[in-house]
Amino acid sequence: MRVLLLGADGFIGRRVTDRLLMDQELQVTVLGRRDSADIRFDLTTGSPGALARFLDAVAPQVVINCAGATYGSSRTLIRSNTLAVATVCEAIRRSREPARLVHVGSAAEYGPVPGGVPVSEQAEPRPVGPYGVSKLAGTELVLASGLDAAVLRVFDVVGPGAPTASLFGRLAEGLRRALERDEHQVRMPDLSGYRDFVDVRDVARAIQAAAVSAATGVVNIGSGHAVRARDAAQLLVRASGFEGQIVEENRQVLLPAQTAGAGGDHLPGHHLPGHRPEGHRPEGRPAPGEPVPWRQADVRTARDRLGWRTQVPLEESLGDVWLETACRV
């Protein structure tokens, strides 16, 4: 099977690339903005006609779209998460042999949901910020395209490779710094919210399963369990051996997104107010979001339509986050 992968350099995209390349039954071509891509193309500025010509040359049977953006102005988010998706859909429609499309969406599309209740794919999306709105618009474009397409609404992704702008990426760096400096406190935002944490390697497995399945429409990808962020943070603290105190500030953790970066941009599992990645310009700060106190996926569709369920426990996932951070030179 010939597969065209978009967004291979992002947090999720890198794991999807690894997974697909291990499958000898798949022929993988990567399209993106970086020199490492097999085909250089910018989805935010390129035309559907030009992309359609690449599709005709590669003749993929499946297109996997892991591209998108979390950081940036509303305009940047719309261009990366909506306009780019429109380009992909139109290019596939124009191609000689339209491919199946697997698109990575986000739980941020749901917005606030009732506490204590798993959210199903039938829930009315009510995104609260520019990121969620732009992702929902992309999903709606895919669903209205008439293509053989599935949208995977991915919940809160964790695991090795988590960006330093993410909740656990920041906590791991803070723990490492505290241990190196013999400090006894690590400061974090409020961690009282509940989230559905899912390991990035399990997400990659779900994307691969969707690529070879006949499933269409929206499919939630999560663990199916809600965990208080504070309890999850303690798993990472224990893995590090840190014996000091985690001091929570009176700031909500804004959790806007789970999607791969467009052309390999960062994927923050959580936007931490006042923090931005090294070298990130002020005008590229994440768009404002709103606190969502509860998020848990109803994952029955993924189980029934994809034959997928999680394999990596949260404790193992966060242990691997720490191992990678501790070994980083």
Side-chain angles (χ1 to χ4, degrees), residues 43-44 65 67-69 74-89 103 130-142:
L43 293 171
T44 65
N65 184 24
S74 295
R75 182 172 184 265
T76 296
L77 294 171
I78 291 294
R79 290 172 66 87
S80 299
N81 299 332
T82 306
L83 177 61
V85 176
T87 297
V88 172
C89 291
H103 174 69
Y131 174 79
V133 170
S134 68
K135 288 297 291 183
L136 177 60
T139 289
E140 293 297 329
L141 285 168
V142 172

Side-chain angles (χ1 to χ4, degrees), residues 29-309:
T29 301
V30 172
L31 181 146
R33 297 183 299 192
R34 299 194 177 185
D35 292 338
S36 57
D38 300 309
I39 301 172
R40 291 286 302 279
F41 190 85
D42 189 336
L43 293 171
T44 65
T45 59
S47 71
L51 181 56
R53 289 191 288 275
F54 284 126
L55 290 174
D56 287 339
V58 175
Q61 291 152 296
V62 179
V63 173
I64 298 175
N65 184 24
C66 293
T70 301
Y71 288 108
S73 64
S74 295
R75 182 172 184 265
T76 296
L77 294 171
I78 291 294
R79 290 172 66 87
S80 299
N81 299 332
T82 306
L83 177 61
V85 176
T87 297
V88 172
C89 291
E90 180 61 22
I92 294 175
R93 280 198 298 263
R94 294 187 190 183
S95 62
R96 285 195 294 265
E97 297 182 11
R100 171 171 170 78
L101 174 61
V102 176
H103 174 69
V104 178
S106 169
E109 297 171 36
Y110 288 120
V113 296
V117 180
V119 59
S120 75
E121 293 87 353
Q122 287 71 46
E124 181 72 20
R126 302 179 189 277
V128 294
Y131 174 79
V133 170
S134 68
K135 288 297 291 183
L136 177 60
T139 289
E140 293 297 329
L141 285 168
V142 172
L143 297 179
S145 67
L147 300 171
D148 174 12
V151 175
L152 304 188
R153 273 196 182 135
V154 180
F155 279 64
D156 296 79
V157 187
V158 297
T164 55
S166 70
L167 175 67
F168 296 120
R170 175 181 172 176
L171 177 56
E173 287 294 337
L175 292 169
R176 173 178 169 171
R177 186 166 55 250
L179 289 168
E180 289 175 345
R181 300 176 181 177
D182 196 27
E183 297 173 345
H184 302 289
Q185 286 188 350
V186 175
R187 304 189 70 83
M188 293 293 290
D190 175 73
L191 301 172
S192 61
Y194 286 81
R195 288 294 177 271
D196 188 327
F197 298 110
V198 57
D199 188 87
V200 65
R201 292 160 291 193
D202 281 332
V203 173
R205 288 179 42 250
I207 292 170
Q208 182 184 28
V212 300
S213 78
T216 58
V218 176
V219 181
N220 286 340
I221 301 299
S223 69
H225 302 282
V227 177
R228 191 187 290 270
R230 183 178 300 129
D231 296 334
Q234 285 302 317
L235 295 176
L236 183 53
V237 171
R238 285 201 291 272
S240 73
F242 178 68
E243 297 181 351
Q245 183 181 14
I246 303 299
V247 178
E248 296 181 33
E249 302 174 356
N250 293 323
R251 290 183 293 139
Q252 290 285 340
V253 177
L254 303 185
L255 300 160
Q258 299 301 329
T259 185
D265 294 338
H266 288 296
L267 162 69
H270 311 265
H271 162 43
L272 300 175
H275 176 80
R276 61 178 182 266
E278 182 179 356
H280 205 64
R281 295 177 300 172
E283 63 270 26
R285 287 177 296 185
E290 293 184 14
V292 177
W294 170 275
R295 192 147 65 202
Q296 178 183 345
D298 181 332
V299 294
R300 288 176 293 181
T301 301
R303 180 192 63 202
D304 297 341
R305 304 285 305 279
L306 304 181
W308 174 89
R309 59 185 74 222

